[in-house]
Amino acid sequence: MNQPLIAPSILAADFANLQRDVEMINRSEADWFHIDIMDGEFVPNISFGFPVLEAIRQHAQKPLDVHLMIVQPDRYLEQFARAGAATITVHYEACTHLHRTLTRIRELGCRAGVALNLQTPVTALEDIIDAFDQVLVMTINPGFGGQKLVHSSITKVQKMRQLLTQHRSPALIEVDGGVDLDTITSLAQAGADVFVAGTSVFKAADPLQAIQDLKQRPSQTPFI
Ligand code: DX5
Ligand code: ZN
């Protein structure tokens, strides 16, 4: 099993102390910043937009992993690339011409990610398997932090891993929602590479320690 990549979700940070929280992630063993953009239409919640993203970018010293939970994401790809996104992930369910959207993200110099809601089968991506660098398997219904992982999504990660292996795709599998010390091992064993964690990091008594524990947990548990 590879060393897991940990991507703390800024959605759970203290927005009144954003610089402090961003600097904490800089100092931590985390690998990326996960940035959740919600428009109140694709998901029933609004998070934040470009001014906040720019503020994060000014202090962040690790790649920005931008998760767009918005309708018609094509309208904003260029702006997110300019705002410093290393990876831009769009939802399968929000893109009529997904291949075109992912191609555009790569043209803009970013890694292209595609996210699947719980009901979307992994096979929906089979015919465009070369068009993305990362697939985000939602492990909750998107829109809010602090939810419990939907158990069936662990099997879905396994199916995604099989599909990528079958097509020799180097794409990373990212999981998002309800990731904590109790769920990370099964997700890693199922084949996930990147672990988004909001609540389990920022609401922990010691976030730096929480990140370190998440980073080490999968390798501590024997494979069963
Ligand atoms: C929810 C977001 C997640 C969220 C995860 O739609 O995509 O990134 O911040 O939060 P936790 O880790 O609290 O489930
Ligand atoms: Zn997310």
Side-chain angles (χ1 to χ4, degrees):
M1 208 178 295
N2 292 331
Q3 178 84 307
L5 297 177
I6 306 295
S9 169
I10 288 296
L11 192 64
D14 177 355
F15 285 11
N17 290 287
L18 199 47
Q19 181 175 351
R20 181 201 65 191
D21 281 1
V22 168
E23 284 171 353
M24 181 276 290
I25 301 296
N26 286 342
R27 288 197 310 277
S28 76
E29 289 182 34
D31 299 277
W32 299 346
F33 287 86
H34 185 78
I35 313 282
D36 289 302
I37 307 289
M38 305 178 182
D39 67 354
E41 194 171 348
F42 182 72
V43 287
N45 194 12
I46 297 175
S47 57
F48 52 81
F50 291 106
V52 174
L53 179 53
E54 301 281 359
I56 295 168
R57 182 203 194 175
Q58 273 190 17
H59 302 287
Q61 291 165 3
K62 295 178 181 182
L64 304 182
D65 175 42
V66 177
H67 177 194
L68 298 184
M69 285 160 276
I70 64 175
V71 297
Q72 299 179 37
D74 303 74
R75 295 172 297 166
Y76 297 106
L77 296 179
E78 214 174 305
Q79 218 175 326
F80 279 110
R82 256 188 282 128
T87 303
I88 300 178
T89 294
V90 294
H91 266 262
Y92 169 88
E93 301 82 10
C95 296
T96 309
H97 304 288
L98 180 60
H99 184 274
R100 175 182 291 152
T101 304
L102 294 169
T103 303
R104 181 73 188 129
I105 294 172
R106 283 179 169 172
E107 281 169 5
L108 289 166
C110 301
R111 297 176 67 253
V114 53
L116 301 182
N117 276 342
L118 292 171
Q119 80 278 10
T120 305
V122 300
T123 49
L125 297 179
E126 188 162 16
D127 294 332
I128 57 159
I129 205 103
D130 295 329
F132 53 88
D133 304 295
Q134 178 169 317
V135 54
L136 191 168
V137 176
M138 286 304 313
T139 44
I140 53 163
N141 284 301
F144 302 91
Q147 302 180 72
K148 203 170 150 12
L149 177 131
V150 174
H151 196 74
S152 58
S153 57
I154 298 174
T155 312
K156 185 166 173 183
V157 172
Q158 276 174 352
K159 290 183 192 163
M160 194 70 238
R161 175 51 64 207
Q162 278 164 13
L163 190 75
L164 294 177
T165 305
Q166 184 189 335
H167 292 275
R168 296 190 168 77
S169 164
L172 297 180
I173 299 179
E174 180 173 45
V175 285
D176 186 3
V179 175
D180 58 22
L181 279 178
D182 292 331
T183 55
I184 194 167
T185 306
S186 350
L187 289 165
Q189 287 176 350
D193 306 291
V194 188
F195 301 83
V196 176
T199 307
S200 64
V201 166
F202 287 100
K203 308 297 182 218
D206 183 347
L208 283 173
Q209 186 63 47
I211 292 168
Q212 196 182 336
D213 292 345
L214 285 169
K215 188 100 188 156
Q216 285 165 5
R217 173 58 65 96
S219 57
Q220 279 171 354
T221 314
F223 192 86
I224 38 165

